[in-house]
Amino acid sequence: MGEIDNHHHNHQSPPSVQAPPVGPPPNFGFSMGPTWNPAEQLLQLNYCIYSNPSWPQAILLAFQHYIVMLGTIVMIANTLVPSMGGNHGDKARVIQTLLFMSGVNTLLQTWFGSRLPTVMGASFAFVLPVFSTINDYTDETFSSGHERFIHTIRTVQGSLIVSSFINIFLGYSRVWGNLTRLFSPIIIVPVVCVVGLGLFTRGFPMVASCIQIGLPMLILLVVTQQYLKHLVPVAHHVLEKFALLLCIAVVWAFAAILTVAGAYNTAKVPTQMSCRTDRAYLMSTAPWIKVPYPFQWGTPIFKASHVFGMMGAALVSSAESTGTFFAAARLSGATPPPAHVLSRSIGLQGISMLIEGLFGSVVGTTASVENVGLLGLTHIGSRRVVQISCAFMIFFAIFGKFGAFFASIPVSIFAAIYCVLYGIVAAVGISMIQFANSNSMRNMYVFGLALFLGISIPQYFVMNSAPDGHGPVRTNAGWFNDILNTIFSSPPTVAIIVGTILDNTLEAKHAVTDRGLPWWVPFQVRKGDVRNEEFYRFPLRLTEYIPSRFR
């Protein structure tokens, strides 16, 4: 009986349970596909910063850079010159001056400044201070609109000359470089992102101003440059590098046909200005040969109230250029620019503003975002190509009729191009999150808030700015209004302010690794990485003769 009971008991006992495995759960991510390690330098480039394509290719690529940067100059001239009282001839001379100074400043920057393949072009950051100057002369009486224009641009000259010393001081005193030492990848990501995203108003909203030209340009560029090159393998390299020029030629010819056929004869004036190819009036008014020279408009006029507003724009141009330099370094295969390189580039940008003030430029300079996007579009980050483009800028600035021909390209075509190029720059910013812990909630907070406010705050200032340039800050001190309205209308500047404060005060010491500082710090020291000297040293052994403070 006991055996039976025992046998019965054995059958009723529960089965043995194995202990759970000790250690972390298996990583199922590896079963879903490959993982990619962070890449300090892009490997898909055909030519990096110090490698060069053949001379015929380099010349065509350089001309492409000239065409891309031309759009911003034409937009600024169309915005400011009529409000200043200038006529079409004045507008043509302003475009020539801006082109000439862009060529000179780009050569200086690629030789002695950042050494990156960045085109230095006209900056929209100076538009608000210039409008403030224009408004101060609305109550004064002039014999003609041209006289009003001359008086206004001479005042702008004086403001540019004085405000240029802000950048010179920030750069060559190394203040700006020391500020960038507070950066981390978590700050660089939103700053570079908003360098592209912050210019969205120059994208599809301007495409829609002439949708029948802008939209075909946008679609044709994407299809030709990204899809057609795979369908036609023989023309792969040609389409990848030069699709932009081909699309501009096709759509520009289409716009000319519509203009001649009378498609816009009964359209509204704004539509005609955006669509017609004969509304620029530059070909008939531009001189055949005109060399810009110092004080071509007369002696500069210095007014303290306007100088302060222009100083705010100088600070903004420094912030914008800094974000653009980081994007250019990534798209040209270089390492992030060290602090001393950023210092000397901003200092040289100040010298460029001083020269622009002497020559009578209507706005200051900054690194061109669209041309940096072109580096990514063509996969060519060669410094030589950008330097060759300076020859086109200077040539077409001197021979005005030829430059006016290309300046008559409808703005909606440029806007379609910017939709692609600005998007590439914004994506480059996002790619730099790989050097920090993207799974850190602390990093998400800093990155998200800096990105959102970097777009939202400037949008508020833009939406609440009157057509005459008066922004939402309206105290009795006009100079104070101009400074704040200019600074907070700039997405990169706001992103730098918000990101730097949050990243360096919010658990900064406990999140050193999460912030990516072990990767970041060596690039910010002159000899922290052996490649710094390779990418950023001066040409022709000039380093041996330049004082260490200015290297």
Side-chain angles (χ1 to χ4, degrees):
M1 184 69 182
E3 291 180 355
I4 296 174
D5 292 338
N6 186 46
H7 180 74
H8 181 76
H9 176 75
N10 289 340
H11 277 281
Q12 293 298 321
S13 62
S16 61
V17 178
Q18 295 182 352
V22 179
N27 188 346
F28 295 104
F30 289 108
S31 64
M32 298 179 183
T35 58
W36 289 270
N37 294 323
E40 294 178 347
Q41 296 170 269
L42 294 180
L43 303 178
Q44 296 87 0
L45 299 175
N46 296 324
Y47 297 93
C48 67
I49 185 171
Y50 51 71
S51 59
N52 304 306
S54 64
W55 281 103
Q57 289 187 48
I59 292 173
L60 274 178
L61 290 165
F63 180 71
Q64 202 165 227
H65 273 283
Y66 159 74
I67 290 294
V68 167
M69 64 85 59
L70 184 61
T72 299
I73 289 179
V74 173
M75 290 180 194
I76 289 177
N78 287 337
T79 301
L80 294 179
V81 174
S83 300
M84 297 167 71
N87 52 37
H88 295 299
D90 295 327
K91 182 166 66 175
R93 288 186 62 189
V94 165
I95 291 175
Q96 286 181 271
T97 304
L98 291 173
L99 266 178
F100 185 83
M101 294 313 307
S102 292
V104 172
N105 294 336
T106 302
L107 280 178
L108 291 175
Q109 196 66 241
T110 54
W111 278 341
F112 310 112
S114 68
R115 298 283 288 149
L116 291 166
T118 51
V119 171
M120 303 303 293
S123 172
F124 270 92
F126 294 85
V127 170
L128 284 178
V130 172
F131 267 122
S132 179
T133 303
I134 294 171
N135 294 334
D136 272 8
Y137 292 120
T138 53
D139 296 332
E140 296 190 20
T141 302
F142 296 91
S143 60
S144 63
H146 178 72
E147 184 183 349
R148 179 189 298 274
F149 166 79
I150 293 295
H151 205 76
T152 305
I153 201 169
R154 287 168 57 198
T155 307
V156 172
Q157 276 186 262
S159 301
L160 280 174
I161 291 172
V162 177
S163 62
S164 66
F165 290 97
I166 292 291
N167 283 7
I168 294 173
F169 170 77
L170 290 175
Y172 292 120
S173 68
R174 297 188 177 179
V175 170
W176 193 261
N178 291 333
L179 171 65
T180 62
R181 292 182 190 276
L182 299 175
F183 291 179
S184 73
I186 295 301
I187 301 174
I188 294 301
V189 171
V191 170
V192 178
C193 277
V194 298
V195 162
L197 295 179
L199 301 174
F200 66 90
T201 55
R202 281 185 255 164
F204 199 82
M206 297 191 69
V207 170
S209 66
C210 186
I211 197 70
Q212 56 267 55
I213 293 176
L215 188 59
M217 178 65 195
L218 177 58
I219 296 174
L220 185 64
L221 178 59
V222 174
V223 171
T224 304
Q225 212 267 342
Q226 294 297 323
Y227 292 96
L228 192 59
K229 68 179 182 181
H230 297 295
L231 297 176
V232 187
V234 178
H236 181 282
H237 294 293
V238 173
L239 293 177
E240 184 177 74
K241 297 173 185 175
F242 307 112
L244 186 65
L245 286 179
L246 294 174
C247 294
I248 290 175
V250 171
V251 178
W252 192 13
F254 174 64
I257 292 172
L258 291 179
T259 301
V260 174
Y264 308 112
N265 289 347
T266 59
K268 297 179 180 179
V269 174
T271 302
Q272 293 194 32
M273 294 297 295
S274 300
C275 298
R276 296 183 69 98
T277 58
D278 58 356
R279 279 295 181 268
Y281 300 108
L282 297 176
M283 286 292 294
S284 58
T285 56
W288 278 102
I289 300 177
K290 182 72 175 182
V291 180
Y293 56 90
F295 309 117
Q296 59 180 327
W297 310 109
T299 306
I301 299 173
F302 299 92
K303 285 191 175 183
S305 58
H306 302 304
V307 168
F308 284 109
M310 202 68 77
M311 285 181 177
L315 289 171
V316 166
S317 68
S318 300
E320 292 176 345
S321 293
T322 299
T324 308
F325 288 148
F326 280 108
R330 185 120 180 95
L331 288 173
S332 62
T335 53
H340 71 279
V341 171
L342 292 173
S343 282
R344 79 188 187 201
S345 64
I346 296 303
L348 186 61
Q349 188 170 316
I351 294 177
S352 298
M353 285 178 56
L354 176 61
I355 298 173
E356 287 172 331
L358 297 175
F359 274 75
S361 180
V362 73
V363 293
T365 187
T366 192
S368 172
V369 180
E370 50 268 28
N371 288 90
V372 171
L374 187 59
L375 302 179
L377 184 71
T378 59
H379 298 180
I380 296 176
S382 171
R383 183 192 294 127
R384 176 184 291 177
V385 169
V386 171
Q387 290 173 334
I388 295 174
S389 71
C390 299
F392 286 105
M393 300 175 204
I394 295 173
F395 175 84
F396 288 116
I398 294 175
F399 297 93
K401 292 290 186 184
F402 298 99
F405 175 72
F406 295 105
S408 62
I409 297 175
V411 174
S412 56
I413 293 180
F414 288 114
I417 297 170
Y418 295 161
C419 288
V420 177
L421 302 185
Y422 292 158
I424 291 174
V425 174
V428 168
I430 296 174
S431 74
M432 299 187 76
I433 194 66
Q434 64 186 304
F435 305 117
N437 183 4
S438 59
N439 294 315
S440 166
M441 289 301 298
R442 180 256 182 209
N443 287 352
M444 292 183 190
Y445 182 88
V446 175
F447 165 48
L449 193 58
L451 178 63
F452 183 80
L453 292 182
I455 297 176
S456 183
I457 292 177
Q459 181 64 14
Y460 166 78
F461 274 75
V462 170
M463 290 176 62
N464 290 276
S465 293
D468 58 4
H470 288 298
V473 179
R474 300 186 182 184
T475 66
N476 293 328
W479 61 271
F480 181 76
N481 300 340
D482 291 340
I483 290 178
L484 289 188
N485 287 326
T486 301
I487 289 177
F488 289 103
S489 295
S490 166
T493 307
V494 175
I496 285 179
I497 293 173
V498 176
T500 303
I501 292 174
L502 290 177
D503 192 50
N504 287 277
T505 58
L506 188 61
E507 301 177 359
K509 294 182 179 179
H510 304 289
V512 170
T513 303
D514 285 348
R515 295 166 63 198
L517 291 181
W519 171 83
W520 176 259
V521 169
F523 295 115
Q524 295 303 295
V525 182
R526 185 184 297 270
K527 296 184 179 179
D529 189 282
V530 294
R531 293 167 292 180
N532 287 350
E533 188 69 14
E534 176 185 2
F535 294 126
Y536 299 108
R537 66 173 179 266
F538 286 122
L540 305 175
R541 299 177 62 184
L542 290 177
T543 306
E544 302 175 8
Y545 307 101
I546 296 178
S548 59
R549 173 173 292 277
F550 304 109
R551 293 177 187 172

